[in-house]
Amino acid sequence: MQTSRFAKEFRPYELTSAIGWNITSRFFANLQGEAAVALFKVDGKKDYSTNYTLGLNTGYTFVKNDLCSIDARVGAGTKLGKSDA
């Protein structure tokens, strides 16, 4: 789950879930689903927008050790349903 506390007028909340496959020890693919809710407060009026996405990405891990893992990814996704605004 991700969120932001810095913007006073806009607060996004995201919940992400991914299922992945390690094709080799460094090459992988993921199927990812995400639900995002954006809360707005403009001129005292509160509103929200929701967005659901489904995507697929693949990547390669360049650095892999006990402290960290650094990889590059490329992917594509699509929006599911329509936004509530």
Side-chain angles (χ1 to χ4, degrees):
M1 182 167 184
Q2 300 178 33
T3 186
S4 173
R5 289 284 184 207
F6 298 110
K8 292 180 181 177
E9 297 85 19
F10 172 69
R11 292 232 167 88
Y13 294 89
E14 298 175 4
L15 180 60
T16 303
S17 180
I19 297 173
W21 300 272
N22 290 328
I23 298 166
T24 68
S25 64
R26 294 190 180 262
F27 184 67
F28 60 88
N30 290 322
L31 178 64
Q32 182 171 322
E34 182 175 288
V37 178
L39 304 175
F40 297 93
K41 186 176 181 183
V42 180
D43 297 329
K45 182 183 175 193
K46 294 181 181 180
D47 201 356
Y48 71 96
S49 178
T50 59
N51 187 29
Y52 301 97
T53 59
L54 182 65
L56 178 67
N57 66 56
T58 185
Y60 184 81
T61 305
F62 295 102
V63 176
K64 187 176 187 179
N65 59 41
D66 292 339
L67 296 175
C68 70
S69 175
I70 300 173
D71 57 59
R73 299 173 186 229
V74 63
T78 186
K79 180 179 169 184
L80 303 174
K82 60 181 179 177
S83 178
D84 299 329

